[in-house]
Amino acid sequence: MSTDTHSHPLLDVRDLCISFTSRGQSIPIVENMSFSMAGREILGLVGESGSGKSVTAMALMGLIDAPGVTITGSVRFKGQEILGLPAREFRALRGREIAMIFQDPMTAFTPVYTIGWQIDEQLRVHNKFSRKQARTRTIELLAEMGVPDPANTANRYPHQLSGGLRQRAMIAMALSCNPSVLIADEPTTALDVTVQAQILDLMRKLRTTHGSSILLITHDMGVVAETCDRTLVLYSGRVAEEGTTQDLFAHPQHPYTAALLASIPP
Amino acid sequence: MMTKPSDTPRTSAGPWQSALRSLLRNRSALASLAVLGLIVLACLCAPFYARHIAHVDPFVSNVAGTIMLDGQETDIMQPNDNPLHLGLSPIGPTGHTTYLLGADSQGRDIMARLLYGGRNSLLISFSAAVLCLIMAGAVGIVAGFFGGITDMVLCRLMDIMWAVPVYLFAISLSIVTITSNLRIGPFVIEADNLLIPIVIIALVYVPYAARPVRGRVIALRQAEFVTAARCLGVPRWRIVLHDILPNVSTTLVVMGPLLMAMALLAESALSFLSIGVQAPAASWGTIILDGEG
Amino acid sequence: MILPLLRRMGQTVFVLFGISALVFAVFFATPGADPTARIAGRNAAPQTMEKVRKEYGFDRPLPVQYAIMMKKLFITRDLASYANRGELVVPEIMRAAPVTLSLVTGAAIIWVVLSIGMGVLAAACKGSWIDRLLMMVGLIGISIPVFWLGQVVNLITQNRYHDTWLFSWVPGLGYVPFTQSPLAWFRALVIPWCVLAVMFVGIYSRILRADLVATMGEDFMRTARAKGLSPSRVLLRHGLRTALITFVSLFGMDFAQLVGGGALLTEVVFGLPGVGRLTYQALNSLDLPLIMATVMYSAVFVVLANAVVDAAYLFLDPRVRDVH
Ligand SMILES: Nc1ncnc2c1ncn2[C@@H]1O[C@H](COP(=O)(O)OP(=O)(O)OP(=O)(O)O)[C@@H](O)[C@H]1O
Ligand SMILES: [Mg+2]
């Protein structure tokens, strides 16, 4: 497997096209998107609202199943084509190899179960863990994410936690099976600024502690500058520009990137 | 709506038109409406049907009567087909205009009674639904608009009324009213007056319909245009009449069909228990009861 | 957790008082004839009328009458019916209650199981012909009056086809106590159960489907799928569990309404001597004390059951627990 990861990029997306059919018309949402991610890399995906960032993320997770959607192109994970993988095989990958964090931690947990129960569930689906083992691991994970008093927090319901704690729990859940790729769709948008900084800090540490690569979706150039190694700028469903974050900030090629950069408050 | 210049007076055409448009687009709703229209029409024609098509009087019992079928005289009450031919049972569906669906235990034409009964059932359920909506609208608007103590008292009262099982509540009211004529001041309402089931059914469902109205009014009270009208010093009754009522009426109209269906069921249940429509008049409930014998 | 429960109990007591006052007002303060005549029954002798007037305090002010009535109903429990030669009313209701409970509980089991099955299946196949078929069946179920259905079923199983192999096992109308013979009890009730359940299967499957479909659009369902759970686990453990909150609260209300008299029509049609049929017989003999007692006891039952439902709600939905 290790030779595999050397010869292939971890995640390789080629000519990804996604279109929705509505009233007999096919509307392209993402067109000819190509990029690749190496191990332990944080890749930023920026673009304005509606440019297709979330749709791309959902496609990588294999979670788009709306009727009338066509997805073409190729997505290779560790050299294996995952587009069009049978549902059962994709499910084994999801959460275990590729995990996702959502924008609004408020609504992303099922309200009627405790946080601990929900993390246990993911652990037990992918590993042969007993209830007890799962809970021990859950508490470890929560502690690692900087949740105070993890054993008690695990027994609390989502609505009883603050937004920041909930997002930490969300990250703990996503990381529970040590995924190689973590997709974070605007993980900090719903949080206030100080908490936002803490969460970003946590995500930066993940690559050393867990060895994860992160696809960080955001529309905040400030976040990109602080966090990402490389950045992909999306403009109405197409890749407008791609490069290391430093280059991109120093010499934006595309007028849209320049406009985005100009909009950062000094 | 408020951003529009005041060249046209505000009307409630907006919500109505959009409601109409969405109704026209909903094919199954249209189909149901058409069927309902047909049934109503058929029931309205009941007297015509009885006199000129079936040639029967559906309100007198006709146990000893005979009818002409295919040129033969046939008894309405046929002997049972047990070996001894003991007992009589009413004739079944004949396939002729006379006694199309056969006779009931008193030898009356079921089809004609069905149409006549439909008139009563539909009349009662429609009137009850309308009356209920009016009362619920009044209660809901008063509770929602004035709030405070008024609201609390009305809400608690509605809670209490709703806690009594609907049919039992209706039964209690009916039993009290049909044992003796109802005297309210100088007015006397006879026990077999259709008004009694109408009022009872309407009353019983008021708590059910008033709650959403109240919610809507409370939401409206905070709406911009009502606040604006208040700041301008528009008197309360004008606000209620011009701003609240048109907006609430859509809520009421949407509830209408559902209420009518519930009223129809309640009416037939009451009549089935013989405390709704009183004999010899018919309703769908009494006809089902007749079928029991 | 304790405070909301206490508050809820206070409300319950208030509603109980309100209901008793309302029922009392309906029976004794509606404009029209003298309540004495109503209680005494048809063509009562003047001595009886006088006795009734004394006994119920109709010559005294309304609050006193109310107090006397409540005492007779709930404390001394010696309310007697005049139409039925002094039969004590409250024990009669207590004897009928198990029949109603048997009927409603069985029907409830059927409708809960069937409607969850239908609702989940329809939601899982949203938009397909299965979905449309199930919802159509549900709609038909809703629109059939239970007494009509009951009579048709009776006609088929008791008369027309009773002698065929299919329905020869059906016993005659009536009830057999469970303690006497569980099998006979089951046979006597199984058809009434199904008939009573039909409408509720329709209502609940449609509501559950709508709730589930709405839940599927929620963020947490997306999270659950992203965790790599199987579709059935996502639908049942996450979707259904959340949608059940509404389902259970509705169920509690309807169950209470049925036990408290809603099953009257079914009992009448199938000749089951439950509280509902007792009310029906009282209607025919114009036995006011009996009707009033059944209405009052049913209302009390409904209110108490609603309080239990609210407690269940606290148990099912952790969000409500912390609200107060
Ligand atoms: N199920 C769907 N059917 C039709 N169109 C859709 C569907 N889901 C998304 N879209 C369209 O796809 C486009 C891209 O949506 P997407 O959610 O990816 O934007 P985004 O870049 O994530 O924006 P934001 O920053 O607001 O989250 C939007 O124009 C949206 O209307
Ligand atoms: Mg998005």
Side-chain angles (χ1 to χ4, degrees), chain B residues 272 284 288, chain C residues 143-154 195 269:
Chain B
F272 180 75
W284 286 338
I288 298 177
Chain C
S143 32
I144 298 180
V146 62
F147 47 95
W148 179 83
L149 183 64
Q151 286 201 341
V152 170
V153 169
N154 269 345
V195 167
V269 170

Side-chain angles (χ1 to χ4, degrees), chain B residues 156 160-163 165-169 171-173 175-176 179-180 182-183 265 268-269 272-273 275 288 292, chain C residues 14 18-19 22 26-27 30-31 33 38 145 147-148 151 257 260 264-265 269 280 283 286 288 291 295 298 302-303:
Chain B
R156 283 290 96 82
I160 289 169
M161 277 171 71
W162 195 236
V166 174
Y167 285 175
L168 280 193
F169 194 18
I171 286 173
S172 322
L173 287 170
I175 190 81
V176 171
T179 46
S180 54
L182 196 59
R183 266 183 225 101
L265 278 178
S268 49
F272 180 75
L273 298 172
I275 46 178
I288 298 177
E292 194 175 33
Chain C
F14 173 80
I19 285 183
L22 180 74
V26 165
F27 280 98
T30 29
R38 289 198 189 134
F147 47 95
W148 179 83
Q151 286 201 341
Q257 285 263 344
L264 179 143
L265 295 164
V269 170
Y280 177 69
L283 266 180
L286 288 184
L288 267 241
I291 298 180
V295 172
S298 309
V302 171
V303 172

